[in-house]
Amino acid sequence: AENGHILAHVMPTDHIFNSVSEQFISKLDELSGGTVNIEYHPGGDLGDWSTITEQVMQGALPMTMAWSNSELDPRLDIANLGYVADDWPSATKVYGPGSQMDKLFAEIYDGLNVELLGTLPTDFTGYVVRKGVDVPVKIPQDAKGFKIRVPNYPMAIDRYSALGFSVVPMAFSEVHTALQTGAIDGRAFSPPYEVLMFRDVLRAYVYTRESFEPTFWIASKSWLAGLSDQERAWVREAADYATGWAWDNAEEFSQGWLDKIQAAGIEVLEQDPAQAAAYKQTVMEVEWPIMEGLLGKEIMSDLKQTAGL
Amino acid sequence: MIGPAYIKAVPGDAKARQSLFYRVEARLAQVIAIAMVIATIALGLLMAAQVVMRYGLESPFLGIEELAPMLALWAYFLGMIYATRDQDHISGGIIALIFKNRTLIQAIRLAGSVACLLAVCVFGYFALKFAQFNLDLHRKSIYMRWPKYLWDFSMVTGFALMAFYYCLQIIAEVRDLKNGPDNGSEQK
Amino acid sequence: MTIFFLTIAIVVLLLLLEVPVGFSFGLGALFYGIQSGTDISFHAGYGYSQIGAFSLLALPLFVQAGTLMGTGGISERLLDFVNAFVGRTKGGLGAVTVLSCAMFGAISGSASAAIAAIGKIMVPRMIREGYPEGHATALVAVSSVLALMIPPSIPMIVFAIATRQSVAKVFLATMLPGILLALVYCALNFWFLRKNTTIKVSPKLPMREVGSEIWNAGKRATLAIIMPFIILGGIYSGIATPTEAGAVALVYTLFVGFVIYRTMTIRNLFESSKDAAILTGSVIMVLFFLFILSRGMILAQIPNQFAELLLSISDNKIVLLLIINLLLLLMGMIVDDVSGGVLAAIILMPVVQKIGIDPIHFAAIVGTNLGLGNISPPCAPLLYMAGGVTKLSLDKYIGPTMKFLLLGHLPMVFIVTFIPELSLWLPSLLD
Ligand code: NA
Ligand code: NA
């Protein structure tokens, strides 16, 4: 038995995933003359993002947009590497359609039984600070004793330990309650959009732009194989179109979220150049050697060249 | 409890339990019980230690997001096996209120057990396929880099042993049905 | 939609035929998948990933802690303490039962643990003092639900996970209704017993002696009395997350049982832990299959279609709320509280959002309704368990139980539904 042409992701309908999906669905409709209809499931009603990814890999769902999961391939950790890009033009150069990284990701996902339809831009990340605690500005001095939640992978933990924070591993589902009650003081690796998910409990957002968060639009190979050649060509064309649209519009989305964060009464802070430089040096000293161990010197020096480092 | 007493998968009388088969089964049940108790208590100690470490020490145990669900999954599935063995599953039902015929009630319960065995086999097959998928991928947990089969086999083990106990259950119920109303277990 | 209703009919039939709740859902999911032509190959993987959720860890921990409280002597001391206040009035033991269930509820997340801990001690005591057996058994059955309404609460944890709401807030939603219900049950208890002549009442003590009795019982029960403050205080002051609080409760119980009261031994620890693990396993099995069934329904967009169906009946908020309550009541009758919470979250949440009900208010409506469902047959684990403790057959105590439900719990359902402030006030303090 086969499910329909489902596209599922976990984000609500105001996220860029939703806009990309809408672009894709209408483009596909136009190309196919209404013969290929997408059943669209936003909002995570089919499970959390890693479960949906598994379902796509096993061919139980056709498509999703999700984050990298290094359980599947340790090389996917490179998606979280700090300071690969620090503004939108450089992000597009490093991760955009046809880039070195885009090709590397396509190769990794090909080994996971899925096809990468597009590397999507989400945003740069920073960290949030809950109400009632001081915002750490000078790092590492101010970071001492600040309980910050990081995602569960070694590089993230090493980064924030090196920056002097008190690192708390915690499941994402616990974060809101923990910020509310003070079990943690902040959350790292937060793009602007996700700041608003916790808006009721936050006082500040420090937009360090330390990592760029690429996300991945993947399709099950068995689903693609079940389509006719013509349909497959339409899907790829519509996906390319929607991915291109995403890269053209992501910066505007980002600015929109930053404005909304401020409108919600949450202070948006950026580091001054001296602080930023020190922060960047700490992060790169920790992470780049680890990544070099995983990917090899060659890929990393290519990456440095592309990133202009 | 309403209606005739439930037939247990494992016979209650001491004589039947002396056979080699049931002595091995008793050991198995003991291992399951010990493992599920240890898993749950260890889970509690681990997570409570985490709370203390967050305040007292600078280095919390970072693998907790992976280790805690692993202990829990094993406890869950072992608990399900034991619930199957002891007929402790949550269930409702009113057949004993509607029907008074003992044989009919027994027959309905037997049919129910067969349906359960069917469900266990189908889902067990998919559980095995799921575990196989992660195995082929050589999937490892993100932080500790432990192979995922340490988690996944909890589900496979759970379904395999539930199937085993439903087979025993069905055999016991068929025997009881054959024995007729007079020699069956007592009405409570 | 036809296949959906057919599936529901099959699940209900299987439930009525005593097929375990979990397998009824599992078989329903298979039927649904095959009939609707959806892919069922990922079913097991999906259920597995859902029950592996970190936030669900609160369930085994609170079940384990609640069971061990009986073994560790915590619940008994709690009882003696409450008894010192109201034990020496006519019907006082009944009130002790109700209030102890409420207090026990503040440290335990499961109603069956309340029956095991409070019922096992109080029912024989009440019967010895001349209470009608049916009244005593019914009282334990209906007040055990207070343990679900007063946080921590396992069904509420599961509801919060399924709807992605804050556990801390959802916990508080049913707290005031729970306390209010406890008072209502106390009042009903005295009212029902007003003409009773069989009850022996211990002679009244002079005020001074009452004071010293309370003082002594309080001293003995100190470690039990401070436990809610450790658990709930720990959660709301940010020391521990709700999940971790389950672990803290468990470790605290072990510490008190082994080190302070010395009532716990490796042997009785093992025996009660085993019971708790079996209970946990059987609850999780229900959730496992329920999540699978819900995935099938979501793939087919059933919840949205169902919402549209309800909205086509009426767009009046009060009418819809009444329909939702009726559905919850029916759901509660055929399934247990935990699965009811998930079903409600998945099927009714879209409607609730469309008519603009606060999700936290909805949590309270669900919690109150499902508490009722847990003691309404046919699927009424708490009702049967209470009878099991007393060794009394259902027909002997179903009458008194119904009186308590119709005069106590049912009106509370309406109060919670139509006075949102009752459930929203406490959670609003967190903002
Ligand atoms: Na409770
Ligand atoms: Na019920």
Side-chain angles (χ1 to χ4, degrees), chain A residues 1-3 6 39-41 43-47 51 54-55 58-61 170-171 173-174 176-177 180-183, chain C residues 37-39 41-42 46 49-50 54-55 164 166-169 235-238 240-243 295 298-299 301 430-431:
Chain A
E2 267 297 309
N3 296 324
I6 294 172
E39 284 175 33
Y40 182 45
H41 283 263
D45 60 1
L46 292 172
T51 308
E54 275 174 11
Q55 296 181 64
Q58 288 195 282
L61 279 182
M170 182 177 279
S173 56
E174 308 258 282
H176 188 261
T177 305
Q180 198 164 48
T181 62
Chain C
T38 45
D39 185 353
S41 63
F42 198 73
Y46 184 76
S49 73
Q50 294 294 303
F54 195 87
S55 323
R164 276 173 277 171
S166 145
V167 175
K169 279 192 171 188
I235 294 175
Y236 293 103
S237 66
T241 65
T243 314
R295 175 177 179 263
I298 291 164
L299 273 174
Q301 315 263 20
L430 279 181
D431 293 333

Side-chain angles (χ1 to χ4, degrees), chain C residues 101-102 104-110 146-154:
Chain C
C101 280
F104 187 77
I107 52 180
S108 157
S110 103
L146 296 172
L148 301 180
M149 294 180 67
I150 294 169
S153 161
I154 287 160

Side-chain angles (χ1 to χ4, degrees), chain C residues 321-331 369:
Chain C
L321 275 171
L322 287 172
I323 297 177
I324 287 172
N325 270 302
L326 183 67
L327 288 172
L328 283 169
L329 187 67
L330 291 173
M331 249 182 225
N369 257 298

Side-chain angles (χ1 to χ4, degrees), chain B residues 96-119:
Chain B
L97 291 179
I98 299 177
F99 307 115
K100 290 292 162 223
N101 183 326
R102 198 188 138 82
T103 313
L104 180 63
I105 294 175
Q106 284 172 306
I108 291 174
R109 283 183 183 162
L110 173 60
S113 297
V114 173
C116 289
L117 179 63
L118 175 78

Side-chain angles (χ1 to χ4, degrees), chain A residues 66-144:
Chain A
W67 292 260
S68 69
N69 179 359
S70 58
E71 263 188 19
L72 306 171
D73 187 321
R75 292 178 296 167
L76 281 172
D77 255 349
I78 197 173
N80 307 308
L81 188 63
Y83 293 105
V84 176
D86 34 25
D87 55 17
W88 283 96
S90 65
T92 312
K93 210 169 85 188
V94 177
Y95 295 105
S99 64
Q100 283 291 109
M101 291 288 256
D102 191 30
K103 282 177 195 147
L104 175 65
F105 289 132
E107 180 195 314
I108 294 173
Y109 277 107
D110 186 59
L112 296 173
N113 208 21
V114 292
E115 185 173 311
L116 182 67
L117 290 180
T119 301
L120 299 175
T122 339
D123 214 320
F124 293 93
T125 67
Y127 56 85
V128 296
V129 180
R130 79 176 179 94
K131 284 178 188 162
V133 296
D134 293 334
V135 180
V137 178
K138 279 197 234 96
I139 306 293
Q141 297 91 318
D142 295 356
K144 194 166 166 34

